[in-house]
């Protein structure tokens, strides 16, 4: 029986996040990893939530809190607001998203700007910052090899793109 992916991509789960969560293949982008992590919360796939962390994120990882949140929450949907870098040929990326959930009948929204890094050809979650207000709208995507808009004369990837 097929089912839609919890991440809201419009694809079937088996063709979207399931291959990443099951370890059959790595997420190709930072956004794909973020969507798979959301789906893992929905499915309570706690090992994946731990495995998809960068080494520095593991030191602050509280498995019991993650388990409690995943189990108590009724997950209502995911909305990706924007992504910065994090593509298949890139090493770092940022994804801003909102995850809606309900606990004890109270609807909540977790809005975060998540930072990801590729480690040994696998995207990993590094950290997240809570965000309030409307999503930041970017003007034009800056290529990693383009001159940095700050005027330093360096390539974007070696300057503000770090």
């Amino acid at each position: 029986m097929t089912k839609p992916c919890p991440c809201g991509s419009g694809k079937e789960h088996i063709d979207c996040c399931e291959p990443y969560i099951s370890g059959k293949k790595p997420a190709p982008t930072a956004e794909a990893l973020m969507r798979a992590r959301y789906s893992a919360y929905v499915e309570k796939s706690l090992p994946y939530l731990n495995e998809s962390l960068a080494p520095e994120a593991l030191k602050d990882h509280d498995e019991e809190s993650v388990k409690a949140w995943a189990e108590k929450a009724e997950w209502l949907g995911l909305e990706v607001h924007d992504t910065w870098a994090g593509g298949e040929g890139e090493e770092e990326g940022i994804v801003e998203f909102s995850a809606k959930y309900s606990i004890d009948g109270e609807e909540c929204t977790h809005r975060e700007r998540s930072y990801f890094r590729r480690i040994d050809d696998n995207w990993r979650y590094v950290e997240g910052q809570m965000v309030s207000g409307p999503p930041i709208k970017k003007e034009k995507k800056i290529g990693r090899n383009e001159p940095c808009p700050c005027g330093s004369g360096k390539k974007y990837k070696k300057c503000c793109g770090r």
Side-chain angles (χ1 to χ4, degrees):
M1 182 172 123
T2 61
K3 63 178 182 173
C5 193
C7 80
S9 67
K11 299 177 186 175
E12 296 295 321
H13 183 56
I14 197 163
D15 296 323
C16 191
C17 293
E18 190 280 329
Y20 314 138
I21 295 170
S22 67
K24 292 176 187 164
K25 63 181 187 176
T29 65
E31 182 178 334
L33 178 65
M34 190 278 309
R35 287 180 175 280
R37 285 180 55 80
Y38 173 82
S39 294
Y41 271 103
V42 173
E43 296 180 339
K44 298 160 188 54
S45 297
L46 303 175
Y48 182 75
L49 293 171
N50 188 52
E51 293 162 11
S52 59
L53 294 173
E56 61 268 33
L58 282 169
K59 67 180 178 213
D60 295 327
H61 183 65
D62 181 352
E63 286 188 55
E64 289 304 312
S65 293
V66 170
K67 180 179 178 184
W69 192 27
E71 291 177 351
K72 288 180 185 176
E74 174 189 353
W75 298 95
L76 306 174
L78 174 70
E79 180 181 357
V80 174
H81 299 296
D82 210 344
T83 60
W84 294 267
E88 291 190 38
E90 298 176 296
E91 298 299 315
E92 296 179 344
I94 301 170
V95 180
E96 186 175 318
F97 69 93
S98 294
K100 294 186 179 176
Y101 63 98
S102 173
I103 293 183
D104 298 328
E106 182 181 346
E107 287 193 18
C108 303
T109 300
H110 175 87
R111 180 140 173 214
E112 181 177 308
R113 190 169 299 136
S114 297
Y115 298 83
F116 299 89
R117 188 172 73 246
R118 190 186 303 271
I119 301 171
D120 298 328
D121 290 330
N122 291 295
W123 282 103
R124 297 288 185 240
Y125 174 86
V126 177
E127 66 179 343
Q129 295 176 339
M130 297 298 290
V131 178
S132 61
I136 295 173
K137 297 293 180 191
K138 60 184 179 185
E139 294 297 316
K140 176 187 172 269
K141 185 172 181 175
I142 301 166
R144 49 183 294 186
N145 288 316
E146 292 180 26
C148 191
C150 77
S152 68
K154 297 179 183 177
K155 287 184 179 181
Y156 179 69
K157 69 181 178 184
K158 297 286 187 180
C159 190
C160 294
R162 294 187 112 177

